[in-house]
Amino acid sequence: MSQQEFGPATGPPHLPGLVRHLPAPVRRVWKPPNRVAAHNVELLLKGLSGSARTLLVVGGATVGNGVEAVYRAPDVEVIAFDIVPSPVTQFIADAHSIPLSTASVDAVLVQAVLEHVIDPLRVVAEIHRVLKDEGLVYAETPFLQQVHAGAHDFMRYTASGHRYLFRRFEELSAGLVTGPGTQLLWSVEHLVRGLTHSALAGRATRGLLCWLRALDHLVPENFALDDASALYFLGRKRERAMTAQEIVAYYRGAQA
């Protein structure tokens, strides 16, 4: 789950511990709250119907940035799993083969996970399988980000590619989690890492240039979609898949 703006933490292991002890305003600069996720999770929870609601968190070893509301919802049963144990997971499993019955959950949350699996198509097929009819999915996945989690980082998606990954879902909402400013911040951080051979120097640079994130709000969405750091998809399960013609027509970027 999310440790930076989006994606697992990397670099010296002592830094996350230090960040936890910083004053709250400084922590928010270092790791800003994911307001996009918070808004979309609110929509997800509102979209669930019935009194007994089950939400599955794929890759849920930690509580993701901006999704805390699902754990506080009194009428939602949260089932979280990952390939490692944690205090917030109920079982250990591989997302390529989720050990739950078909049509057994009402919603699925998969945040900053699909880039770390070998076969995202298979994982999304498993998400589709375990969801009940009309079930909901919320996903966040990187587009333009440097490698994080080392050897366990495999995939990136454009907005169209992300939509096609969820082609057997009706789109309720989709768009930017973080835009070109955040993408630039990642690039500068990793450039400094490469020049100095120091993850600490890169992270320090990220802290000094945190204001670059504000540029996300200045770029029109159609341009930002072509240069985003991360994207989201909120959808509802259906059986019909998008066609190749539909996904080509779906493109919303500035090069239309």
Side-chain angles (χ1 to χ4, degrees):
M1 284 298 222
S2 175
Q3 299 283 335
Q4 284 185 288
E5 292 91 357
F6 192 85
T10 56
H14 63 280
L15 277 177
L18 290 176
V19 171
R20 281 196 295 270
H21 296 290
L22 293 173
V26 179
R27 289 201 308 272
R28 284 194 292 270
V29 169
W30 185 272
K31 180 185 174 183
N34 187 340
R35 293 186 176 87
V36 172
H39 172 72
N40 287 317
V41 162
E42 182 180 349
L43 295 178
L44 178 74
L45 293 173
K46 288 180 179 178
L48 292 173
S49 59
S51 56
R53 305 185 295 177
T54 303
L55 186 146
L56 177 68
V57 182
V58 178
T62 61
V63 177
N65 187 358
V67 304
E68 298 85 357
V70 302
Y71 295 87
R72 297 193 298 264
D75 52 351
V76 173
E77 178 188 3
V78 176
I79 303 172
F81 77 93
D82 209 318
I83 57 173
V84 294
S86 87
V88 291
T89 53
Q90 281 70 54
F91 59 93
I92 299 173
D94 183 345
H96 296 86
S97 183
I98 301 173
L100 295 178
S101 301
T102 298
S104 58
V105 301
D106 298 291
V108 173
L109 172 66
V110 53
Q111 184 191 44
V113 172
L114 293 173
E115 72 270 32
H116 300 301
V117 300
I118 289 291
D119 190 349
L121 284 171
R122 181 174 171 182
V123 172
V124 173
E126 278 291 276
I127 289 171
H128 190 276
R129 180 186 65 81
V130 300
L131 275 170
K132 297 177 182 177
D133 291 342
E134 302 290 303
L136 300 174
V137 63
Y138 179 66
E140 292 183 359
T141 314
F143 171 21
L144 295 175
Q145 289 184 7
Q146 280 68 25
V147 168
H148 50 269
H152 302 281
D153 190 347
F154 307 106
M155 299 289 175
R156 298 292 184 269
Y157 288 94
T158 64
S160 293
H162 200 228
R163 178 67 186 93
Y164 198 60
L165 182 62
F166 289 92
R167 57 186 173 271
R168 292 180 65 195
F169 291 83
E170 172 194 359
E171 180 183 306
L172 301 179
S173 183
L176 302 160
V177 179
T178 47
T182 300
Q183 186 272 124
L184 178 59
L185 185 59
W186 274 71
S187 294
V188 172
E189 175 189 347
H190 284 264
L191 175 62
V192 172
R193 287 188 185 205
L195 292 172
T196 63
H197 303 177
S198 169
L200 179 60
R203 285 178 170 267
T205 301
R206 177 163 67 92
L208 292 172
L209 297 180
C210 61
W211 55 268
L212 287 172
R213 295 191 195 97
L215 299 178
D216 286 353
H217 306 291
L218 301 179
V219 180
E221 185 174 7
N222 60 335
F223 283 90
L225 285 171
D226 289 342
D227 194 26
S229 177
L231 301 159
Y232 77 86
F233 177 81
L234 175 63
R236 189 183 303 278
K237 178 180 176 178
R238 68 180 182 188
E239 291 306 317
R240 187 185 74 81
M242 293 182 78
T243 66
Q245 292 79 12
E246 286 174 326
I247 192 57
V248 171
Y250 175 82
Y251 174 70
R252 301 172 181 175
Q255 301 174 52

mmCIF file with all atom_site columns, all heavy atoms in Angstrom, residues 172-188:
data_model
loop_
_atom_site.group_PDB
_atom_site.id
_atom_site.type_symbol
_atom_site.label_atom_id
_atom_site.label_alt_id
_atom_site.label_comp_id
_atom_site.label_asym_id
_atom_site.label_entity_id
_atom_site.label_seq_id
_atom_site.pdbx_PDB_ins_code
_atom_site.Cartn_x
_atom_site.Cartn_y
_atom_site.Cartn_z
_atom_site.occupancy
_atom_site.B_iso_or_equiv
_atom_site.pdbx_formal_charge
_atom_site.auth_seq_id
_atom_site.auth_comp_id
_atom_site.auth_asym_id
_atom_site.auth_atom_id
_atom_site.pdbx_PDB_model_num
ATOM 1   N N   . LEU A 1 172 ? -17.392 4.207  -13.410 1.00 0.00 ? 172 LEU A N   1
ATOM 2   C CA  . LEU A 1 172 ? -18.149 5.203  -12.659 1.00 0.00 ? 172 LEU A CA  1
ATOM 3   C C   . LEU A 1 172 ? -17.355 6.501  -12.562 1.00 0.00 ? 172 LEU A C   1
ATOM 4   O O   . LEU A 1 172 ? -17.935 7.588  -12.592 1.00 0.00 ? 172 LEU A O   1
ATOM 5   C CB  . LEU A 1 172 ? -18.475 4.662  -11.268 1.00 0.00 ? 172 LEU A CB  1
ATOM 6   C CG  . LEU A 1 172 ? -19.285 3.363  -11.229 1.00 0.00 ? 172 LEU A CG  1
ATOM 7   C CD1 . LEU A 1 172 ? -19.517 2.928  -9.791  1.00 0.00 ? 172 LEU A CD1 1
ATOM 8   C CD2 . LEU A 1 172 ? -20.598 3.507  -11.976 1.00 0.00 ? 172 LEU A CD2 1
ATOM 9   N N   . SER A 1 173 ? -16.044 6.371  -12.432 1.00 0.00 ? 173 SER A N   1
ATOM 10  C CA  . SER A 1 173 ? -15.167 7.534  -12.378 1.00 0.00 ? 173 SER A CA  1
ATOM 11  C C   . SER A 1 173 ? -13.741 7.061  -12.635 1.00 0.00 ? 173 SER A C   1
ATOM 12  O O   . SER A 1 173 ? -13.372 5.935  -12.284 1.00 0.00 ? 173 SER A O   1
ATOM 13  C CB  . SER A 1 173 ? -15.262 8.223  -11.016 1.00 0.00 ? 173 SER A CB  1
ATOM 14  O OG  . SER A 1 173 ? -14.456 9.389  -10.979 1.00 0.00 ? 173 SER A OG  1
ATOM 15  N N   . ALA A 1 174 ? -12.942 7.921  -13.256 1.00 0.00 ? 174 ALA A N   1
ATOM 16  C CA  . ALA A 1 174 ? -11.535 7.593  -13.513 1.00 0.00 ? 174 ALA A CA  1
ATOM 17  C C   . ALA A 1 174 ? -10.777 8.892  -13.727 1.00 0.00 ? 174 ALA A C   1
ATOM 18  O O   . ALA A 1 174 ? -11.343 9.881  -14.189 1.00 0.00 ? 174 ALA A O   1
ATOM 19  C CB  . ALA A 1 174 ? -11.396 6.682  -14.729 1.00 0.00 ? 174 ALA A CB  1
ATOM 20  N N   . GLY A 1 175 ? -9.501  8.881  -13.406 1.00 0.00 ? 175 GLY A N   1
ATOM 21  C CA  . GLY A 1 175 ? -8.725  10.099 -13.603 1.00 0.00 ? 175 GLY A CA  1
ATOM 22  C C   . GLY A 1 175 ? -7.417  10.082 -12.852 1.00 0.00 ? 175 GLY A C   1
ATOM 23  O O   . GLY A 1 175 ? -6.840  9.027  -12.579 1.00 0.00 ? 175 GLY A O   1
ATOM 24  N N   . LEU A 1 176 ? -6.971  11.272 -12.475 1.00 0.00 ? 176 LEU A N   1
ATOM 25  C CA  . LEU A 1 176 ? -5.658  11.474 -11.866 1.00 0.00 ? 176 LEU A CA  1
ATOM 26  C C   . LEU A 1 176 ? -5.688  11.262 -10.357 1.00 0.00 ? 176 LEU A C   1
ATOM 27  O O   . LEU A 1 176 ? -6.582  11.749 -9.673  1.00 0.00 ? 176 LEU A O   1
ATOM 28  C CB  . LEU A 1 176 ? -5.174  12.894 -12.126 1.00 0.00 ? 176 LEU A CB  1
ATOM 29  C CG  . LEU A 1 176 ? -5.040  13.336 -13.584 1.00 0.00 ? 176 LEU A CG  1
ATOM 30  C CD1 . LEU A 1 176 ? -5.040  14.846 -13.659 1.00 0.00 ? 176 LEU A CD1 1
ATOM 31  C CD2 . LEU A 1 176 ? -3.777  12.770 -14.187 1.00 0.00 ? 176 LEU A CD2 1
ATOM 32  N N   . VAL A 1 177 ? -4.705  10.562 -9.853  1.00 0.00 ? 177 VAL A N   1
ATOM 33  C CA  . VAL A 1 177 ? -4.414  10.595 -8.422  1.00 0.00 ? 177 VAL A CA  1
ATOM 34  C C   . VAL A 1 177 ? -3.384  11.695 -8.176  1.00 0.00 ? 177 VAL A C   1
ATOM 35  O O   . VAL A 1 177 ? -3.580  12.578 -7.347  1.00 0.00 ? 177 VAL A O   1
ATOM 36  C CB  . VAL A 1 177 ? -3.869  9.244  -7.925  1.00 0.00 ? 177 VAL A CB  1
ATOM 37  C CG1 . VAL A 1 177 ? -3.557  9.316  -6.425  1.00 0.00 ? 177 VAL A CG1 1
ATOM 38  C CG2 . VAL A 1 177 ? -4.864  8.123  -8.198  1.00 0.00 ? 177 VAL A CG2 1
ATOM 39  N N   . THR A 1 178 ? -2.289  11.645 -8.916  1.00 0.00 ? 178 THR A N   1
ATOM 40  C CA  . THR A 1 178 ? -1.264  12.687 -8.864  1.00 0.00 ? 178 THR A CA  1
ATOM 41  C C   . THR A 1 178 ? -0.810  12.969 -10.292 1.00 0.00 ? 178 THR A C   1
ATOM 42  O O   . THR A 1 178 ? -0.755  12.063 -11.133 1.00 0.00 ? 178 THR A O   1
ATOM 43  C CB  . THR A 1 178 ? -0.065  12.249 -8.007  1.00 0.00 ? 178 THR A CB  1
ATOM 44  O OG1 . THR A 1 178 ? 0.329   10.916 -8.380  1.00 0.00 ? 178 THR A OG1 1
ATOM 45  C CG2 . THR A 1 178 ? -0.400  12.288 -6.532  1.00 0.00 ? 178 THR A CG2 1
ATOM 46  N N   . GLY A 1 179 ? -0.483  14.240 -10.565 1.00 0.00 ? 179 GLY A N   1
ATOM 47  C CA  . GLY A 1 179 ? -0.254  14.672 -11.929 1.00 0.00 ? 179 GLY A CA  1
ATOM 48  C C   . GLY A 1 179 ? 1.191   14.958 -12.282 1.00 0.00 ? 179 GLY A C   1
ATOM 49  O O   . GLY A 1 179 ? 2.126   14.435 -11.659 1.00 0.00 ? 179 GLY A O   1
ATOM 50  N N   . PRO A 1 180 ? 1.393   15.839 -13.269 1.00 0.00 ? 180 PRO A N   1
ATOM 51  C CA  . PRO A 1 180 ? 2.740   16.106 -13.791 1.00 0.00 ? 180 PRO A CA  1
ATOM 52  C C   . PRO A 1 180 ? 3.712   16.701 -12.777 1.00 0.00 ? 180 PRO A C   1
ATOM 53  O O   . PRO A 1 180 ? 4.910   16.441 -12.851 1.00 0.00 ? 180 PRO A O   1
ATOM 54  C CB  . PRO A 1 180 ? 2.468   17.091 -14.940 1.00 0.00 ? 180 PRO A CB  1
ATOM 55  C CG  . PRO A 1 180 ? 1.061   16.840 -15.346 1.00 0.00 ? 180 PRO A CG  1
ATOM 56  C CD  . PRO A 1 180 ? 0.350   16.501 -14.074 1.00 0.00 ? 180 PRO A CD  1
ATOM 57  N N   . GLY A 1 181 ? 3.221   17.528 -11.856 1.00 0.00 ? 181 GLY A N   1
ATOM 58  C CA  . GLY A 1 181 ? 4.110   18.093 -10.852 1.00 0.00 ? 181 GLY A CA  1
ATOM 59  C C   . GLY A 1 181 ? 4.707   17.026 -9.961  1.00 0.00 ? 181 GLY A C   1
ATOM 60  O O   . GLY A 1 181 ? 5.917   17.020 -9.674  1.00 0.00 ? 181 GLY A O   1
ATOM 61  N N   . THR A 1 182 ? 3.869   16.094 -9.525  1.00 0.00 ? 182 THR A N   1
ATOM 62  C CA  . THR A 1 182 ? 4.349   14.977 -8.703  1.00 0.00 ? 182 THR A CA  1
ATOM 63  C C   . THR A 1 182 ? 5.272   14.078 -9.507  1.00 0.00 ? 182 THR A C   1
ATOM 64  O O   . THR A 1 182 ? 6.280   13.577 -8.996  1.00 0.00 ? 182 THR A O   1
ATOM 65  C CB  . THR A 1 182 ? 3.156   14.181 -8.156  1.00 0.00 ? 182 THR A CB  1
ATOM 66  O OG1 . THR A 1 182 ? 2.341   15.044 -7.354  1.00 0.00 ? 182 THR A OG1 1
ATOM 67  C CG2 . THR A 1 182 ? 3.621   13.014 -7.312  1.00 0.00 ? 182 THR A CG2 1
ATOM 68  N N   . GLN A 1 183 ? 4.919   13.889 -10.780 1.00 0.00 ? 183 GLN A N   1
ATOM 69  C CA  . GLN A 1 183 ? 5.778   13.084 -11.653 1.00 0.00 ? 183 GLN A CA  1
ATOM 70  C C   . GLN A 1 183 ? 7.159   13.720 -11.761 1.00 0.00 ? 183 GLN A C   1
ATOM 71  O O   . GLN A 1 183 ? 8.183   13.026 -11.700 1.00 0.00 ? 183 GLN A O   1
ATOM 72  C CB  . GLN A 1 183 ? 5.112   12.965 -13.030 1.00 0.00 ? 183 GLN A CB  1
ATOM 73  C CG  . GLN A 1 183 ? 5.824   12.031 -13.987 1.00 0.00 ? 183 GLN A CG  1
ATOM 74  C CD  . GLN A 1 183 ? 6.903   12.733 -14.785 1.00 0.00 ? 183 GLN A CD  1
ATOM 75  O OE1 . GLN A 1 183 ? 8.074   12.329 -14.763 1.00 0.00 ? 183 GLN A OE1 1
ATOM 76  N NE2 . GLN A 1 183 ? 6.566   13.793 -15.486 1.00 0.00 ? 183 GLN A NE2 1
ATOM 77  N N   . LEU A 1 184 ? 7.205   15.057 -11.895 1.00 0.00 ? 184 LEU A N   1
ATOM 78  C CA  . LEU A 1 184 ? 8.485   15.757 -11.958 1.00 0.00 ? 184 LEU A CA  1
ATOM 79  C C   . LEU A 1 184 ? 9.266   15.605 -10.656 1.00 0.00 ? 184 LEU A C   1
ATOM 80  O O   . LEU A 1 184 ? 10.491  15.419 -10.665 1.00 0.00 ? 184 LEU A O   1
ATOM 81  C CB  . LEU A 1 184 ? 8.244   17.239 -12.275 1.00 0.00 ? 184 LEU A CB  1
ATOM 82  C CG  . LEU A 1 184 ? 9.489   18.142 -12.335 1.00 0.00 ? 184 LEU A CG  1
ATOM 83  C CD1 . LEU A 1 184 ? 10.467  17.658 -13.401 1.00 0.00 ? 184 LEU A CD1 1
ATOM 84  C CD2 . LEU A 1 184 ? 9.067   19.588 -12.594 1.00 0.00 ? 184 LEU A CD2 1
ATOM 85  N N   . LEU A 1 185 ? 8.557   15.662 -9.538  1.00 0.00 ? 185 LEU A N   1
ATOM 86  C CA  . LEU A 1 185 ? 9.206   15.516 -8.233  1.00 0.00 ? 185 LEU A CA  1
ATOM 87  C C   . LEU A 1 185 ? 9.858   14.143 -8.104  1.00 0.00 ? 185 LEU A C   1
ATOM 88  O O   . LEU A 1 185 ? 10.994  14.026 -7.627  1.00 0.00 ? 185 LEU A O   1
ATOM 89  C CB  . LEU A 1 185 ? 8.182   15.733 -7.119  1.00 0.00 ? 185 LEU A CB  1
ATOM 90  C CG  . LEU A 1 185 ? 8.712   15.737 -5.688  1.00 0.00 ? 185 LEU A CG  1
ATOM 91  C CD1 . LEU A 1 185 ? 9.754   16.837 -5.498  1.00 0.00 ? 185 LEU A CD1 1
ATOM 92  C CD2 . LEU A 1 185 ? 7.557   15.923 -4.702  1.00 0.00 ? 185 LEU A CD2 1
ATOM 93  N N   . TRP A 1 186 ? 9.147   13.092 -8.530  1.00 0.00 ? 186 TRP A N   1
ATOM 94  C CA  . TRP A 1 186 ? 9.738   11.747 -8.532  1.00 0.00 ? 186 TRP A CA  1
ATOM 95  C C   . TRP A 1 186 ? 11.007  11.730 -9.386  1.00 0.00 ? 186 TRP A C   1
ATOM 96  O O   . TRP A 1 186 ? 12.033  11.172 -8.992  1.00 0.00 ? 186 TRP A O   1
ATOM 97  C CB  . TRP A 1 186 ? 8.734   10.741 -9.105  1.00 0.00 ? 186 TRP A CB  1
ATOM 98  C CG  . TRP A 1 186 ? 7.772   10.162 -8.137  1.00 0.00 ? 186 TRP A CG  1
ATOM 99  C CD1 . TRP A 1 186 ? 6.728   10.795 -7.529  1.00 0.00 ? 186 TRP A CD1 1
ATOM 100 C CD2 . TRP A 1 186 ? 7.745   8.812  -7.675  1.00 0.00 ? 186 TRP A CD2 1
ATOM 101 N NE1 . TRP A 1 186 ? 6.046   9.913  -6.726  1.00 0.00 ? 186 TRP A NE1 1
ATOM 102 C CE2 . TRP A 1 186 ? 6.649   8.700  -6.797  1.00 0.00 ? 186 TRP A CE2 1
ATOM 103 C CE3 . TRP A 1 186 ? 8.520   7.687  -7.927  1.00 0.00 ? 186 TRP A CE3 1
ATOM 104 C CZ2 . TRP A 1 186 ? 6.316   7.499  -6.164  1.00 0.00 ? 186 TRP A CZ2 1
ATOM 105 C CZ3 . TRP A 1 186 ? 8.195   6.484  -7.303  1.00 0.00 ? 186 TRP A CZ3 1
ATOM 106 C CH2 . TRP A 1 186 ? 7.107   6.408  -6.426  1.00 0.00 ? 186 TRP A CH2 1
ATOM 107 N N   . SER A 1 187 ? 10.920  12.340 -10.582 1.00 0.00 ? 187 SER A N   1
ATOM 108 C CA  . SER A 1 187 ? 12.057  12.298 -11.506 1.00 0.00 ? 187 SER A CA  1
ATOM 109 C C   . SER A 1 187 ? 13.273  13.014 -10.938 1.00 0.00 ? 187 SER A C   1
ATOM 110 O O   . SER A 1 187 ? 14.404  12.523 -11.048 1.00 0.00 ? 187 SER A O   1
ATOM 111 C CB  . SER A 1 187 ? 11.656  12.923 -12.848 1.00 0.00 ? 187 SER A CB  1
ATOM 112 O OG  . SER A 1 187 ? 10.671  12.138 -13.495 1.00 0.00 ? 187 SER A OG  1
ATOM 113 N N   . VAL A 1 188 ? 13.047  14.189 -10.321 1.00 0.00 ? 188 VAL A N   1
ATOM 114 C CA  . VAL A 1 188 ? 14.168  14.932 -9.747  1.00 0.00 ? 188 VAL A CA  1
ATOM 115 C C   . VAL A 1 188 ? 14.782  14.141 -8.597  1.00 0.00 ? 188 VAL A C   1
ATOM 116 O O   . VAL A 1 188 ? 16.017  14.056 -8.466  1.00 0.00 ? 188 VAL A O   1
ATOM 117 C CB  . VAL A 1 188 ? 13.715  16.330 -9.286  1.00 0.00 ? 188 VAL A CB  1
ATOM 118 C CG1 . VAL A 1 188 ? 14.826  17.021 -8.517  1.00 0.00 ? 188 VAL A CG1 1
ATOM 119 C CG2 . VAL A 1 188 ? 13.290  17.174 -10.479 1.00 0.00 ? 188 VAL A CG2 1
#
